[in-house]
């Protein structure tokens, strides 16, 4: 083995004598790599279509990283459409023939080399066989090259890094080579190809600002193509707002990712955001003066005067959270709107492994999102905007608000220049309002603000300095557009109220119209076919997820006994609903009552940990006594605190000691403690009672004084510890040992007071009496433990338990009078709903179309419940 410096890019794997060398000793096209395999300690083999290359890394970890990266780049390259690559036509990577190829002598080499001029590069190969295989020595980028004739047969190709002295067979041959290489230099210095590719989309053929044809400049962070005159005014805005580059001259800037970014965003998508509300009187054209252009571009990009506002505008925390979610998807328009409405490109994600959005995008494989974020590192500060503010009575003028006199009369909200004007500046009809939002205090730099969303996807922001007056406006506006059958929603201190579509039950064919009000962590719903409203406790949802849909992603919320699909008709207000519901359904503090809860009022975090340890750790030696890895515990606790509902603890991925340590740390850090600061000393004093029955009675009395969530959580935890100690023969954790661990943890003490451990020991020992557990509950617990142990024994022995069952599947609807819509099917325990759906469609020979959506419903025998 010889030590070499190795480089990998999207097209080639190259190795050099040292990292200082500009030209390689060998290059291998990525497209020719068929596989990468480990061949022993620190070694791996790169297999191409014609030959193999063996490399040895400095460590196994280094080798594994190289293998993973090579495989990923090779797979990505194979998945891409053929690109213009200047290599020989016989190589696997070629899409066009070389401009000239043949043998030349090169000073420093004993034998002639096979040379190919293709596009803006010169390639060197050992022989013609290597040329056909596409595996060469090096290539020279001609944008830094210069060709000079030396003598009758000789000529030099000069670069800043090296002089290549060639010699041809004849003078005529030399002249042909010189001409071919000079042509390559000319092509390298001109980049009309980039312009042609950018112009492939029709909106990019005209300036995004004035509409002039064939614009050959661009703002690479705003992703707009602009003409030369507008480019000059863009530069005046400064690089913090717009970064101007030439399509034809700034060759190095135009990476494949940046070109693709202009295909996905470009003038069409960018102007849907930046120029959503341009008055015809303020628009500019190709013949506009420099002064008019400057005025328009300042208003458009610096002030954001014409942009379409994101629903979360003004709420920094929510904007940043939404950006972290958006960069993991392919929705570049959403990322653009978030960044230019104030989301911080370098905000903290809360993920130690991916601390900023750029890292999240990289982890998710979203290369275009990465490209957009890289060009907008200095963006995301938010632009000023003029907003309408109710002015009755007149309020002090705020810098970002326009002071207006407002009236609400006969179902019309009108705003005037002042109270003396008879003609309003604008009107909002109550029938057009679809959503009303009450913002937290000082959200927009003013005491009280609220937002009005209308059918045409426009947002109006109003503000007052008097909270009471703002509340009156809110109630009055809400009453004007909420229908009479839903007026009961107005009795709640809502943060958001409006109209949405929903689907529920077993009939999901038609979306119905409902009225929704969000107050704290409760979502009140007035359904179409009911005059009474229902209250959904969002923190008690079993599941909350976003599903793919046409008009914004529908929201699916699963509570006990039902699933509700919420769908928006308009993207602008619906995204605000999604973020608000997700926030309300999450944990909001460090006390027990502020956590996501199960139906039994136990924090979901506690339930998840207890459930996992019950299934996987009852017989683990030293459970709860052993400490897990601190970093994994911290990471897991953060995930569970952020959204325990979405966390699935899996054997093999999470160690029981890490989960046990997470549970202990949660109780130790709990605000107000499990026993509460008010009553904790009473619990400790109860240990002094000598009469056992009296002590049990005192514990039962104290139990009733605890808040509901604390009481339910204490019972769930002690029930769990009661189970754990029953396996003390295996796990070595009897009642006393568990009390030593959990006493200081639950009472949040330093462990010196023995009474804390004594309380826990008493609670476990007298669990049945203190918590009034009946025989039926005890039998249920025993049956659960027995079932878990049988499953684990079966899994460890390798035996497979029978799980298949046969049932009738109905297609589209249940019909007892005919068999043509039914199909008996054997269903394995591992079959998914998707697999079952396709199995039925295949049996019935039904061909699915691109926009067809089939759903599978499991309904119990009496049709009392389904999923």
């Amino acid at each position: 083995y010889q030590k070499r410096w190795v480089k990998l890019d999207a097209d080639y794997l190259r190795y050099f004598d040292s990292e200082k060398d500009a030209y390689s000793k060998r290059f291998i096209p990525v497209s020719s790599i068929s596989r990468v395999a480990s061949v022993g300690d620190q070694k791996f083999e790169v297999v191409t279509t014609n030959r193999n290359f063996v490399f040895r890394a400095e460590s196994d970890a280094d080798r594994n990283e190289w293998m993973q990266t090579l495989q990923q780049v090779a797979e990505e390259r194979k998945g891409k459409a053929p690109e213009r690559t200047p290599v020989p036509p016989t190589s696997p990577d070629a899409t066009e023939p070389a401009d000239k190829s043949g043998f030349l002598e090169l000073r420093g080499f004993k034998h002639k080399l096979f040379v190919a001029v293709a596009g803006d590069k010169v390639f060197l190969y050992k022989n013609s066989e290597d040329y056909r295989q596409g595996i060469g020595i090096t290539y020279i980028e001609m944008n830094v090259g210069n060709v000079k004739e030396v003598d009758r047969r000789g000529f030099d190709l000069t670069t800043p890094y090296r002089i290549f002295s060639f010699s041809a067979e004849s003078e005529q041959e030399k002249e042909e080579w010189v001409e071919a290489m000079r042509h390559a230099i000319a092509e390298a210095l001109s980049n009309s190809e980039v312009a042609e590719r950018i112009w492939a989309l029709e909106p990019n053929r005209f300036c995004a600002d004035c509409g002039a044809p064939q614009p050959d400049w661009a703002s690479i962070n705003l992703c707009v193509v602009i003409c030369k005159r507008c480019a000059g005014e863009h530069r005046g805005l400064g690089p913090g707002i717009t970064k101007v580059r030439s399509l034809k001259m700034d060759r190095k800037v135009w990476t494949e990712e940046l070109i693709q970014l202009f295909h996905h965003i470009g003038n069409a998508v960018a102007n849907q955001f930046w120029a959503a509300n341009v008055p015809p009187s303020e628009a500019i054209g190709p013949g506009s003066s420099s002064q008019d252009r400057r005025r328009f571009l300042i208003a458009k990009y610096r002030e954001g005067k014409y942009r379409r506002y994101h629903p979360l505008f003004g709420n920094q925390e929510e904007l940043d959270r939404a950006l972290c979610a958006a960069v993991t998807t392919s929705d570049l328009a959403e990322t653009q709107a978030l960044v230019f409405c104030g989301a911080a490109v370098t905000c903290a994600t809360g993920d130690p492994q991916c601390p900023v959005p750029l890292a999240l995008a990289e982890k998710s494989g979203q290369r275009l999102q990465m490209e957009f974020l890289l060009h907008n590192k200095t963006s995301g500060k938010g632009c000023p905007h003029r907003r309408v503010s109710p002015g009755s009575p007149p309020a002090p003028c705020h810098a970002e608000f326009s002071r207006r006199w407002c009236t609400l009369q006969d179902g019309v909200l009108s705003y005037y220049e002042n109270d003396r004007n008879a003609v309003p500046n604008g009107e909002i009809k109550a029938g057009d309002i679809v959503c009303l939002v009450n913002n937290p205090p000082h959200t927009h730099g003013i005491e009280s603000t609220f937002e009005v969303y209308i059918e045409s996807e426009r947002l109006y922001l109003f503000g007052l300095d008097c909270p009471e007056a703002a509340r009156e406006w809110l109630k009055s506006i809400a009453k004007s557009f909420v229908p009479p059958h839903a007026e009961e929603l107005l009795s709640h201190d809502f943060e958001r109220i409006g109209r949405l579509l929903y689907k529920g039950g077993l009939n999901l064919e038609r979306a119905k119209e409902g009225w929704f009000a969000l107050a704290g962590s409760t979502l009140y719903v007035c359904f179409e076919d009911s005059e009474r409203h229902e209250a959904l406790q969002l923190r008690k949802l079993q599941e909350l997820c976003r599903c793919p849909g046409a008009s914004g992603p529908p929201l699916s919320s699963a509570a006990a006994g039902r699933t509700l699909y919420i769908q928006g008709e308009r993207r602008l207000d619906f995204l605000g609903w999604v973020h608000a519901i997700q926030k309300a359904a999450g944990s909001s503090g460090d006390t027990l009552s502020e956590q996501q809860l199960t139906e039994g009022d136990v924090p979901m975090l506690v339930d998840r940990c207890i459930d996992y340890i019950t299934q996987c750790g009852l017989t683990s030696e030293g459970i709860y006594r052993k400490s897990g890895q601190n970093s994994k515990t911290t990471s897991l606790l953060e995930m569970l605190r952020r959204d325990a509902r979405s966390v699935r603890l899996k054997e093999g991925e999470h160690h029981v000691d890490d989960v046990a340590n997470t549970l202990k740390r949660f109780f130790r850090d709990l605000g107000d403690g499990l026993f509460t600061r008010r009553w904790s000393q009473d619990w400790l004093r109860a240990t002094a009672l000598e009469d056992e029955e009296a002590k049990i009675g005192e514990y039962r009395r104290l139990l009733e004084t605890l808040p509901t969530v604390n009481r339910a959580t204490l019972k769930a935890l002690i029930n769990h510890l009661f189970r754990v100690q029953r396996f003390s023969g295996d796990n070595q954790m009897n009642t006393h040992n568990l009390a030593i661990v959990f006493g200081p943890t639950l009472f949040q003490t330093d462990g010196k007071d023995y009474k804390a451990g004594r309380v826990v020991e008493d609670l476990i020992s007298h669990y049945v009496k203190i918590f009034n557990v009946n025989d039926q509950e005890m039998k249920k617990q025993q049956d659960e433990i027995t079932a878990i142990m049988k499953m684990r024994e079966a899994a460890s022995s390798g035996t497979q338990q029978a799980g298949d069952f046969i049932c009738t599947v109905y297609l589209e609807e249940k019909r007892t009078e005919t068999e043509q819509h039914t199909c008996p099917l054997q269903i394995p325990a591992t079959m998914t709903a998707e697999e079952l759906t396709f199995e039925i469609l295949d049996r019935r020979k039904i061909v699915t179309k691109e926009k067809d959506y089939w759903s599978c419903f499991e309904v119990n025998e009496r049709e009392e419940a389904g999923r």
Side-chain angles (χ1 to χ4, degrees):
Y1 289 93
Q2 293 178 313
K3 197 164 188 177
R4 294 285 184 258
W5 182 259
V6 184
K7 287 183 181 179
L8 172 66
D9 57 33
D11 297 314
Y12 297 102
L13 175 67
R14 297 179 289 167
Y15 58 83
F16 305 74
D17 273 333
S18 74
E19 60 183 297
K20 296 180 181 179
D21 287 356
Y23 299 107
S24 62
K25 294 186 71 66
R26 201 66 154 175
F27 68 79
I28 306 163
V30 169
S31 59
S32 70
I33 299 174
S34 57
R35 66 186 180 89
V36 183
S38 173
V39 290
D41 292 346
Q42 303 175 7
K43 290 183 288 186
F44 64 96
E45 184 178 44
V46 177
V47 181
T48 70
T49 49
N50 300 98
R51 66 180 68 177
N52 301 348
F53 298 85
V54 179
F55 295 85
R56 186 171 71 189
E58 293 183 349
S59 66
D60 285 344
D62 198 21
R63 176 202 61 189
N64 294 340
E65 187 176 355
W66 271 103
M67 288 177 61
Q68 182 180 357
T69 306
L70 277 164
Q71 288 167 342
Q72 180 181 344
V73 172
E75 288 172 4
E76 287 177 356
R77 186 55 189 263
K78 288 175 184 175
K80 285 184 179 180
E83 298 170 4
R84 185 182 186 279
T85 309
V87 294
T90 49
S91 80
D93 218 51
T95 59
E96 63 178 295
D99 299 319
K100 182 170 179 59
S101 61
F103 286 97
L104 286 173
E105 293 178 8
L106 177 60
R107 186 182 301 165
F109 287 81
K110 292 181 181 180
H111 304 288
K112 289 183 178 180
L113 298 182
F114 196 93
V115 182
V117 180
D120 58 356
K121 293 183 177 67
V122 174
F123 294 79
L124 306 184
Y125 301 86
K126 283 188 176 181
N127 49 54
S128 57
E129 181 65 24
D130 280 6
Y131 166 71
R132 283 189 288 273
Q133 295 173 5
I135 299 174
I137 298 170
T138 193
Y139 60 82
I140 305 155
E141 300 215 4
M142 298 301 281
N143 62 323
V144 295
N146 183 42
V147 181
K148 179 182 178 182
E149 297 183 42
V150 178
D151 53 36
R152 190 172 62 85
R153 293 192 301 117
F155 63 98
D156 288 347
L157 172 55
T158 305
T159 74
Y161 317 104
R162 180 177 172 181
I163 298 175
F164 297 86
S165 298
F166 293 101
S167 183
E169 288 283 348
S170 64
E171 185 172 354
Q172 182 181 352
E173 186 78 358
K174 177 202 73 174
E175 289 176 355
E176 290 177 3
W177 278 106
V178 169
E179 183 181 357
M181 290 191 183
R182 284 175 176 167
H183 181 75
I185 292 172
E187 184 169 338
L189 295 177
S190 172
N191 206 2
S192 59
E193 180 193 351
V194 170
E196 292 295 338
R197 291 183 65 187
I198 297 291
W199 291 341
L201 273 73
E202 186 172 352
N204 291 344
R205 297 176 195 166
F206 302 91
C207 176
D209 298 324
C210 73
Q214 291 190 311
D216 52 5
W217 293 82
S219 171
I220 58 174
N221 64 309
L222 301 176
C223 296
V224 292
V225 190
I226 52 179
C227 67
K228 185 176 181 179
R229 294 188 66 188
C230 287
E233 300 303 331
H234 268 258
R235 289 195 188 93
L237 298 176
I241 294 176
T242 175
K243 301 173 183 177
V244 181
R245 298 292 185 273
S246 169
L247 295 184
K248 296 182 176 179
M249 292 183 287
D250 293 317
R251 172 182 172 77
K252 292 185 178 180
V253 171
W254 294 100
T255 62
E256 181 60 30
E257 285 78 11
L258 184 56
I259 294 173
Q260 289 300 318
L261 194 61
F262 270 72
H263 282 184
H264 284 77
I265 299 180
N267 290 356
V269 175
N271 271 342
Q272 285 175 9
F273 172 77
W274 288 110
N277 301 293
V278 179
S281 61
E282 297 184 22
I284 59 173
S288 295
S289 66
S290 296
Q291 184 177 357
D292 287 341
R293 289 176 195 271
R294 190 176 308 117
R295 172 193 52 75
F296 177 76
L297 296 180
I298 288 173
K300 183 177 180 180
Y301 297 113
R302 179 177 289 170
E303 297 176 358
K305 182 177 180 180
Y306 314 122
R307 62 183 165 170
R308 182 185 294 277
Y309 278 84
H310 193 279
L312 300 177
F313 176 73
N315 190 329
Q316 190 65 50
E317 182 182 348
E318 291 299 324
L319 281 169
D320 292 348
R321 185 179 292 117
L323 178 64
C324 293
V327 297
T328 64
T329 72
S330 58
D331 194 346
L332 291 161
E334 173 74 356
T335 300
Q336 174 193 241
L338 288 163
V339 168
F340 293 121
C341 278
V345 173
T346 56
C347 66
T349 66
D351 184 346
Q353 296 180 336
C354 302
V356 293
L358 181 63
L360 286 176
E362 183 177 13
K363 182 181 178 181
S364 303
Q366 297 294 338
R367 301 179 72 174
L368 297 188
Q369 293 277 15
M370 292 172 61
E371 188 75 12
F372 182 81
L373 294 174
L374 285 168
H375 290 297
N376 282 286
K377 282 185 177 179
T378 57
S379 300
K381 303 290 188 296
C383 301
H385 178 54
R386 296 175 67 82
R387 310 177 183 92
V388 180
S389 169
S392 177
C397 182
H398 292 263
E400 292 188 18
F401 281 76
S402 300
R403 188 182 180 200
R404 295 290 182 264
W405 182 270
C406 298
T407 64
L408 179 62
Q409 187 174 5
D410 299 328
V412 179
L413 175 60
S414 307
Y415 49 93
Y416 302 78
E417 191 69 29
N418 54 57
D419 59 348
R420 296 182 299 276
N421 282 39
V423 180
N425 288 17
E427 294 180 339
I428 305 171
K429 295 180 180 179
D432 293 337
I433 300 175
V434 294
C435 183
L436 185 62
V437 178
N438 182 21
N439 293 314
H442 302 287
T443 299
H444 297 285
I446 194 170
E447 177 70 24
S448 301
T449 58
F450 60 88
E451 300 165 5
V452 178
Y453 294 81
I454 63 173
E455 286 274 9
S456 59
E457 293 216 53
R458 290 196 65 180
L459 161 64
Y460 294 84
L461 180 61
F462 297 84
L464 296 100
D465 276 326
C466 176
E468 292 76 18
R471 198 71 205 168
E472 286 181 19
W473 274 99
L474 273 169
K475 292 285 187 181
S476 299
I477 295 172
K479 192 171 183 179
S480 72
F481 78 94
V482 173
H485 75 273
E487 281 190 356
E488 195 176 351
L489 298 176
L490 303 180
S491 63
H492 303 288
D493 190 18
F494 60 84
E495 301 155 24
R496 181 179 290 264
I497 190 169
R499 186 181 78 223
L500 293 168
L501 299 179
Y502 72 92
K503 297 178 182 179
L506 303 179
N507 181 13
L508 300 181
E509 293 179 5
R510 183 180 73 87
K512 299 178 182 180
E513 185 179 277
W515 289 85
F516 295 74
L518 179 64
S521 62
T522 305
L523 181 66
Y524 298 95
V525 188
C526 186
F527 296 109
E528 185 180 84
D529 48 5
S530 173
E531 292 189 1
R532 294 187 59 81
H533 68 255
E534 288 189 30
L536 300 179
Q537 299 298 327
L538 296 179
R539 288 204 186 119
K540 288 189 176 183
L541 294 181
Q542 295 174 4
E543 185 176 0
L544 179 67
C545 61
R546 293 172 71 165
C547 322
S551 59
L555 198 65
S556 169
S557 61
R562 71 179 303 173
T563 299
L564 183 68
Y565 297 89
I566 304 173
Q567 184 176 338
E569 297 176 90
R570 298 148 304 277
R571 183 180 179 86
L572 185 65
D573 66 288
F574 184 64
L575 284 176
W577 276 106
V578 171
H579 292 299
I581 290 174
Q582 287 176 331
K583 182 178 180 181
S587 300
S588 61
D590 61 356
T591 63
L592 282 175
S593 60
E594 294 172 309
Q595 308 301 309
Q596 292 174 332
L597 301 173
T598 66
E599 195 61 28
D601 288 316
V602 177
M604 206 161 284
L605 182 154
V606 175
D607 185 70
R608 287 275 193 269
C609 293
I610 286 177
D611 184 59
Y612 181 76
I613 293 169
T614 301
Q615 293 187 50
C616 307
L618 285 180
T619 59
S620 176
E621 185 176 343
I623 185 70
Y624 289 118
R625 188 183 71 245
K626 291 182 179 178
S627 295
Q629 292 186 27
N630 190 52
S631 59
K632 291 185 177 180
T633 298
T634 301
S635 175
L636 181 57
L637 185 56
E638 286 180 359
M639 287 171 56
L640 287 165
R641 277 179 171 159
R642 190 162 52 243
D643 187 10
R645 188 184 294 110
S646 63
V647 177
R648 298 292 182 269
L649 300 175
K650 298 179 182 178
E651 193 170 10
E653 293 183 19
H654 302 93
H655 195 279
V656 290
D657 289 332
D658 295 329
V659 178
N661 210 32
T662 299
L663 183 64
K664 289 190 296 181
R665 188 179 295 184
F666 170 76
F667 281 115
R668 178 170 283 280
D669 298 342
L670 194 62
D672 200 37
L674 178 59
F675 293 97
T676 72
R677 293 189 183 93
R678 179 182 178 184
W679 298 104
S680 59
Q681 292 302 315
D682 291 47
W683 284 88
L684 295 174
R685 280 192 289 269
T687 59
L689 295 173
E690 296 182 1
D691 184 79
E692 207 67 20
E693 289 300 322
K695 186 159 52 174
I696 291 172
E698 179 64 5
Y699 284 142
R700 292 181 68 171
R701 184 190 68 80
L702 290 171
L703 188 64
E704 291 302 315
T705 64
L706 291 178
T708 302
V709 177
N710 295 57
R711 186 164 61 250
T713 305
L714 181 59
K715 181 178 180 179
L717 178 63
I718 299 302
N719 170 36
H720 171 62
L721 298 181
F722 181 75
R723 295 184 183 191
V724 172
Q725 60 86 28
R726 294 182 65 178
F727 289 86
S728 59
D730 297 311
N731 59 37
Q732 306 300 313
M733 294 301 290
N734 56 28
T735 302
H736 181 69
N737 291 340
L738 288 171
I740 291 174
V741 172
F742 274 93
T745 298
L746 300 183
F747 282 93
Q748 301 174 335
T749 63
D750 56 8
K752 295 179 180 178
D753 190 346
Y754 73 92
K755 287 180 287 190
R758 183 67 181 275
V759 171
V760 175
E761 188 169 356
D762 288 340
L763 291 175
I764 299 173
S765 300
H766 303 293
Y767 164 69
V768 175
K769 287 186 176 181
I770 293 173
F771 293 93
N772 198 25
V773 181
N774 57 39
D775 293 340
Q776 187 177 355
E777 283 186 79
M778 290 299 295
K779 185 179 184 304
K780 181 182 177 183
Q781 292 175 17
Q782 184 57 47
D783 290 345
E784 287 176 0
I785 294 173
T786 302
I788 290 169
M789 298 312 296
K790 282 184 178 180
M791 284 168 46
R792 296 191 65 80
E793 287 172 8
S796 62
S797 65
T799 59
Q800 181 66 45
Q801 294 194 6
D804 295 8
F805 64 95
I806 297 175
C807 73
T808 301
V809 180
Y810 296 88
L811 187 64
E812 293 193 307
E813 60 180 314
K814 181 178 178 180
R815 294 186 180 178
T816 56
E817 68 275 8
T818 177
E819 290 298 317
Q820 65 176 351
H821 291 290
T822 66
C823 181
L825 185 68
Q826 182 173 346
I827 303 178
T830 57
M831 178 178 274
T832 65
E834 181 182 25
E835 291 168 344
L836 186 148
T837 301
F838 282 113
E839 175 74 18
I840 295 296
L841 294 176
D842 186 56
R843 288 193 181 195
R844 301 301 305 168
K845 295 182 172 55
I846 296 175
V847 179
T848 58
K849 299 176 183 178
E850 183 181 353
K851 293 186 178 180
D852 282 355
Y853 293 94
W854 288 85
S855 299
C856 175
F857 290 90
E858 180 184 9
V859 186
N860 72 357
E861 187 176 4
R862 297 177 182 174
E863 298 189 17
E864 292 171 341
R867 61 171 179 166

